[in-house]
Amino acid sequence: MPVSDRSDKPDDRWKVWELPNDLSEMRLRLLSLWLGERRGAILDQRISTEKLSAAIVSGYDLRLIADLAESDPEHTQLPPNRAALYRTILAHVTGVDGEPLDLEGLKKLAWLMVTQRRRRIQPDDETLLGRGILQLLTEKNVPIIRTVNGQSEFRHDQMRAFLAALWLIEETPGILALQRATTESHAFDLNRRDQEDLWGFLAPLLKSAGDLQELWTFANDDPVERAVLIAALQAEADTREISLTRFA
């Protein structure tokens, strides 16, 4: 996960740091930093005991788990996988009436932002979200939207990617429509990192082996351009112990 740091020198340049892909060795130290040594150790042990390491792909994932369990690391119910973790965080967003927030507009916005290769939320985007929704999403206890230099953006690209994947899965009427949306939006022209985030979330969200096979066949129609999607689908098939077959 990239981490940015800006020095106080006159030239005010940015430095980019990278956390390792495998956070297992750093996990306890990070949790202890965020929650304190005793509480961090409790949560770290639960992650190991409940076999949640596979759900933590990035430092952002770990931070979401820490935020979720902060009030009671010993007893807070932890989600069984990465998709469930993100869904749980989103479920904490409620409207002024206390009811769960309708996320259709947020998912659509995330999809548009991913495919338009932008990270800042523009004033016109609020029409998709509805009046007052951006303010709710910016509240400190919901790690979804933040304000930087007076402009709003997703707190992390991975939340944006998850919501975009949710839009493809939940708001398009079937796999054929999903395929059409990806090609019409030129999603396969995105940089590799954005594709890895998007397809890495989308593959586990597919509901059936048939959907997985159908999308894998589509991806193999252009194995060079759609290589990142193929890799994500194959990884998910391995997890589900499904054999994918390419027909002549």
Side-chain angles (χ1 to χ4, degrees):
M1 185 185 83
V3 180
S4 297
D5 175 51
R6 189 169 64 182
S7 71
D8 294 324
K9 295 179 181 179
D11 60 357
D12 205 26
R13 296 178 184 275
W14 287 90
K15 296 179 181 179
V16 178
W17 301 77
E18 293 282 342
L19 291 177
N21 290 330
D22 184 358
L23 290 175
S24 57
E25 294 184 4
M26 295 184 63
R27 191 177 68 206
L28 176 57
R29 283 181 286 170
L30 287 170
L31 291 174
S32 297
L33 176 66
W34 296 330
L35 303 178
E37 289 189 11
R38 186 186 69 83
R39 288 152 54 83
I42 290 172
L43 185 54
D44 181 67
Q45 182 58 48
R46 286 192 62 196
I47 290 172
S48 296
T49 302
E50 298 178 31
K51 299 180 180 179
L52 295 178
S53 296
I56 302 171
V57 176
S58 69
Y60 180 64
D61 298 343
L62 184 63
R63 184 66 209 228
L64 290 181
I65 289 179
D67 288 346
L68 183 64
E70 183 177 11
S71 61
D72 188 355
E74 188 171 3
H75 300 105
T76 298
Q77 183 175 352
L78 300 180
N81 54 56
R82 195 178 186 216
L85 168 63
Y86 281 67
R87 286 186 185 276
T88 300
I89 294 297
L90 290 168
H92 284 184
V93 186
T94 56
V96 293
D97 57 359
E99 294 297 316
L101 199 64
D102 183 356
L103 298 176
E104 182 178 351
L106 185 64
K107 290 183 285 187
K108 176 65 172 179
L109 175 59
W111 170 249
L112 290 175
M113 290 176 68
V114 167
T115 55
Q116 292 172 2
R117 301 163 179 79
R118 61 183 172 95
R119 287 170 169 78
R120 294 296 171 89
I121 297 174
Q122 301 168 355
D124 290 347
D125 293 331
E126 290 198 52
T127 59
L128 272 176
L129 298 176
R131 186 175 180 180
I133 301 303
L134 188 61
Q135 178 63 35
L136 286 172
L137 295 168
T138 310
E139 292 180 356
K140 291 183 179 179
N141 62 329
V142 182
I144 298 174
I145 301 293
R146 66 180 180 180
T147 301
V148 179
N149 296 327
Q151 292 184 295
S152 297
E153 62 182 25
F154 281 95
R155 290 192 180 222
H156 201 286
D157 289 348
Q158 288 171 7
M159 179 59 79
R160 184 189 62 164
F162 177 73
L163 284 160
L166 270 186
W167 183 82
L168 282 171
I169 293 293
E170 297 180 349
E171 306 299 336
T172 56
I175 293 296
L176 288 177
L178 186 156
Q179 294 170 11
R180 190 162 52 250
T182 60
T183 53
E184 290 178 352
S185 65
H186 304 287
F188 298 106
D189 293 336
L190 295 171
N191 66 60
R192 186 176 185 87
R193 183 63 175 266
D194 284 348
Q195 287 200 57
E196 287 175 344
D197 286 343
L198 178 62
W199 309 135
F201 278 121
L202 182 137
L205 291 172
L206 292 167
K207 296 177 181 178
S208 69
D211 287 348
L212 193 63
Q213 173 67 61
E214 190 172 350
L215 193 57
W216 189 80
T217 300
F218 160 78
N220 275 280
D221 288 341
D222 193 337
V224 175
E225 183 181 65
R226 303 169 188 173
V228 181
L229 175 58
I230 290 172
L233 295 171
Q234 186 61 63
E236 180 61 21
D238 292 343
T239 299
R240 301 188 194 186
E241 298 182 346
I242 295 172
S243 295
L244 299 174
T245 305
R246 186 177 182 185
F247 300 98

